[in-house]
Amino acid sequence: MSPKEANRRYLRRFFPSMGVYVVLLLGSNRIQHWYQPTGAALFALAILPALPILAVIWALGMAVIEQPDEYIRLKLVKSMLIGTAILLAVTTVWSFLEDAGVVPPKPIHLAFPLWCAGMFLGQCFIWMQERAAGTGE
């Protein structure tokens, strides 16, 4: 498999998952608002939007596993580590502020978007490093 094919596979997994996420999130919120379910129905509705996010996490893992180019795989893993470091730093600082009563409870459902944003910043950082070293594209 070529690096381009591995990237196409990732995108074929990512975009449908995000489309399903939007549909399930909007649908779940509407049904909860209109019918105000309780018990198992509420539990199922609450968890539905998380399932496509789990699919995206799986797609990211498969992108690393299936990437045949070691250098591209290294850059991907580095950006994931930077995303993880940013997520851990923000949640650690937020937790201490939360314990002191300075900030409201952390919105934990934003952990994955924060990780993705950190991964994006990591990719930008790696790109700038390559540009500065004259090794980038």
Side-chain angles (χ1 to χ4, degrees):
M1 178 184 328
S2 71
K4 276 189 173 182
E5 178 58 29
N7 193 39
R8 274 191 224 115
R9 275 187 175 195
Y10 165 71
L11 293 176
R12 281 194 304 256
R13 293 169 178 151
F14 174 80
F15 284 117
S17 297
M18 291 311 295
V20 171
Y21 168 73
V22 170
V23 169
L24 289 179
L25 180 64
L26 294 175
S28 174
N29 286 342
R30 291 286 179 204
I31 290 171
Q32 286 181 46
H33 178 74
W34 290 334
Y35 300 106
Q36 300 177 350
T38 59
L42 178 60
F43 183 85
L45 282 172
I47 206 164
L48 272 178
L51 298 177
I53 297 298
L54 298 179
V56 170
I57 293 169
W58 171 77
L60 284 165
M62 291 305 293
V64 172
I65 290 169
E66 293 177 346
Q67 179 53 254
D69 187 313
E70 290 180 12
Y71 184 65
I72 294 173
R73 189 177 330 134
L74 174 66
K75 291 192 318 186
L76 185 58
V77 169
K78 276 183 175 178
S79 66
M80 288 176 166
L81 287 173
I82 291 170
T84 301
I86 290 172
L87 173 65
L88 291 174
V90 169
T91 55
T92 298
V93 170
W94 190 289
S95 294
F96 278 101
L97 292 172
E98 185 180 325
D99 287 348
V102 178
V103 295
K106 59 184 147 298
I108 200 70
H109 65 282
L110 296 178
F112 184 66
L114 176 61
W115 181 81
C116 290
M119 185 177 156
F120 173 74
L121 291 174
Q123 288 175 337
C124 292
F125 177 73
I126 292 167
W127 179 79
M128 287 189 303
Q129 273 187 324
E130 288 178 342
R131 295 276 296 183
T135 58
E137 296 173 11

